[in-house]
């Protein structure tokens, strides 16, 4: 087992990046672990350092004293044994190319992002490996029901840390375990990532139904069949059924589809109320990753001959080839079949 980290770098000062920095700081308070957050805007770094808040994303939530921040990537990464990546998924490659030379030679990288890279359809762990040439035992991901504001308020939650090397996953889990945040470990990186990626698109579908005034029967049906198509895709890629029935699959799907704190659910609801996609994007203060990754998820499924009818319908709505009013009839008009069929 690696020794406890001297310093942890969190690259990204959005709601989830800042919240997870808080988790790490709370967990490492007694050991004296330094947690440093990279903020793209210098004024955010100044606020974190002087007021111990990040009001744009976490309102008046107080951050622990052992969190510091800087807009200088080299300063944040210097001496960091663990680097937590919390930038928008579509900007990961560009960000990594900019600071990979500042990484410590033995650093472990962990992704908090839940998206596929558009154009390549790569998962975030695959982008990390491609850009940094880092071995898989030093690349991890974290997923699960991670609504940032609830965790920032110390409401109890559980998540999954996944790495192909179980020892690495256990090392990370030990440094983010608190009385309100319980990390489990897993070696199924594919399943954990696909669960976190696909649920964003399903949450858009549930939000659309919400916005159109549909009831709980409709939304429950979408969630259940959404889990089925997510599981089909994960299995086709080499993931585990057990992963998708756990926190990174079912757990994350339920939280994202049912909570008003979910960005993807909110974006879908606005679409269901009749707003155009540009109007939805203008109203959102943070990225709804399902909007960005929907096409990539559909392309990945198509390439592996996996039927994902809910995802396909959502992408058609996003691309303007299907109206929200006709989405339901398209899904219900599919051929009759056994619920247990894989496709």
């Amino acid at each position: 087992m690696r020794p406890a980290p001297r310093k942890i770098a969190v690259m990204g000062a959005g709601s989830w990046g800042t919240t997870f920095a808080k988790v790490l700081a709370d967990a490492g308070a007694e050991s004296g672990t330094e947690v440093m957050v990279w903020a793209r805007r210098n004024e955010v770094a100044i606020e974190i350092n002087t007021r111990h808040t990040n009001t744009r994303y976490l309102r008046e939530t107080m951050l622990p004293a052992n969190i510091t921040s800087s807009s200088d990537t080299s300063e944040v990464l210097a001496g960091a044994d663990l680097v937590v990546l919390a930038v928008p998924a579509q900007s990961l490659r560009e960000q990594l190319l900019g600071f990979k030379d500042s990484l410590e030679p033995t650093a472990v990288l962990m992704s908090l992002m839940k998206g596929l890279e558009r154009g390549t359809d790569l998962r975030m762990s695959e982008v990390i490996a491609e850009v940094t040439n880092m071995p898989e035992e030093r690349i991890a991901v974290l997923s699960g029901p991670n609504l940032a504001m609830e965790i920032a308020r110390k409401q109890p939650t559980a998540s999954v840390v996944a790495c192909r090397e179980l020892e690495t996953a256990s090392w990370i889990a030990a440094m983010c375990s608190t009385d309100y945040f319980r990390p489990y470990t897993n070696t199924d990186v594919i399943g954990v990532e696909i669960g976190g990626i696909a649920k964003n698109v399903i949450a858009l579908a549930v939000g659309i139904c919400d916005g159109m005034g549909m009831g709980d029967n409709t939304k429950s049906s979408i969630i259940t069949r959404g889990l089925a198509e997510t599981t089909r895709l994960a299995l086709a890629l080499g993931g585990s059924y057990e992963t998708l029935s756990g926190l990174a699959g079912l757990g994350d799907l339920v939280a994202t589809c049912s909570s008003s704190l979910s960005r993807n659910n909110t974006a879908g609801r606005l679409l269901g109320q009749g707003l155009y996609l540009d109007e939805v994007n203008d109203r959102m203060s943070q990225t709804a990753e399902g909007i960005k990754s929907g096409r990539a998820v559909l392309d990945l499924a198509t390439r592996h001959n996996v039927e994902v009818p809910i995802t396909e319908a959502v992408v058609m709505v996003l691309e303007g080839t299907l109206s929200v009013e006709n989405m339901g009839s398209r899904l219900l008009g599919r051929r009759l079949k056994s619920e247990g069929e894989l496709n």
Side-chain angles (χ1 to χ4, degrees), residues 39-314:
R40 183 173 54 84
R41 294 182 294 120
N42 191 52
E43 59 267 30
V44 174
I46 292 172
E47 180 187 347
I48 291 172
N49 290 331
T50 57
R51 294 185 54 197
H52 304 293
T53 59
N54 185 349
T55 51
R56 175 178 172 83
Y57 296 110
L58 297 183
R59 302 172 190 167
E60 297 304 318
T61 300
M62 295 301 299
L63 302 176
N66 56 328
I67 292 180
T68 58
S69 184
S70 173
S71 58
D72 183 341
T73 56
S74 297
E75 180 184 0
V76 174
L77 292 167
D81 301 301
L82 173 65
V83 178
V84 179
L85 300 167
V87 299
Q90 305 310 320
S91 71
L92 175 62
R93 183 179 296 272
E94 179 184 359
Q95 298 288 357
L96 275 176
L97 288 169
F99 63 65
K100 68 174 184 175
D101 292 339
S102 298
L103 295 169
E104 294 294 338
T106 60
V108 171
L109 269 63
M110 182 170 73
S111 165
L112 300 187
M113 298 160 289
K114 298 176 179 180
L116 287 178
E117 185 179 50
R118 298 178 73 171
T120 67
D121 302 339
L122 293 177
R123 292 175 283 112
M124 296 296 98
S125 65
E126 294 176 310
V127 175
I128 294 168
E130 187 174 282
V131 174
T132 66
N133 292 315
M134 190 170 288
E136 61 184 16
E137 62 266 21
R138 286 170 50 203
I139 299 174
V141 301
L142 184 141
S143 194
N146 301 141
L147 296 168
M149 187 57 73
E150 291 187 1
I151 298 172
R153 293 170 179 159
K154 296 189 175 183
Q155 296 179 8
T157 191
S159 291
V160 180
V161 177
C163 179
R164 289 294 296 273
E165 177 60 61
L166 183 59
E167 185 174 315
T168 302
S170 299
W171 178 71
I172 296 171
M175 69 183 78
C176 63
S177 178
T178 70
D179 58 358
Y180 62 92
F181 190 85
R182 170 64 159 91
Y184 289 81
T185 57
N186 199 325
T187 57
D188 179 16
V189 175
I190 294 172
V192 169
E193 283 193 289
I194 291 299
I197 293 162
K199 58 92 185 185
N200 288 327
V201 186
I202 306 304
L204 285 172
V206 172
I208 289 171
C209 294
D210 238 343
M212 295 177 67
M214 295 183 182
D216 291 334
N217 286 340
T218 305
K219 290 179 283 187
S220 177
S221 299
I222 294 291
I223 291 171
T224 305
R225 296 311 302 166
L227 178 61
E229 68 180 57
T230 300
T231 302
R232 289 197 298 267
L233 178 58
L235 293 177
L237 296 171
S240 163
Y241 179 86
E242 288 75 17
T243 299
L244 274 297
S245 64
L247 288 163
L250 177 61
D252 199 7
L253 180 66
V254 170
T256 306
C257 288
S258 60
S259 175
S260 61
L261 296 174
S262 162
R263 287 170 278 178
N264 292 282
N265 180 281
T266 299
R269 192 165 62 251
L270 293 172
L271 288 168
Q273 291 169 354
L275 272 69
Y276 292 109
L277 183 57
D278 288 345
E279 295 174 306
V280 172
N281 287 328
D282 287 343
R283 289 212 190 176
M284 302 290 293
S285 62
Q286 299 182 69
T287 301
E289 197 59 60
I291 292 176
K292 302 287 187 180
S293 295
R295 166 50 69 178
V297 173
L298 178 57
D299 289 346
L300 184 64
T302 300
R303 196 161 67 247
H304 289 270
N305 297 312
V306 177
E307 286 191 20
V308 286
I310 299 172
T311 297
E312 183 178 16
V314 169

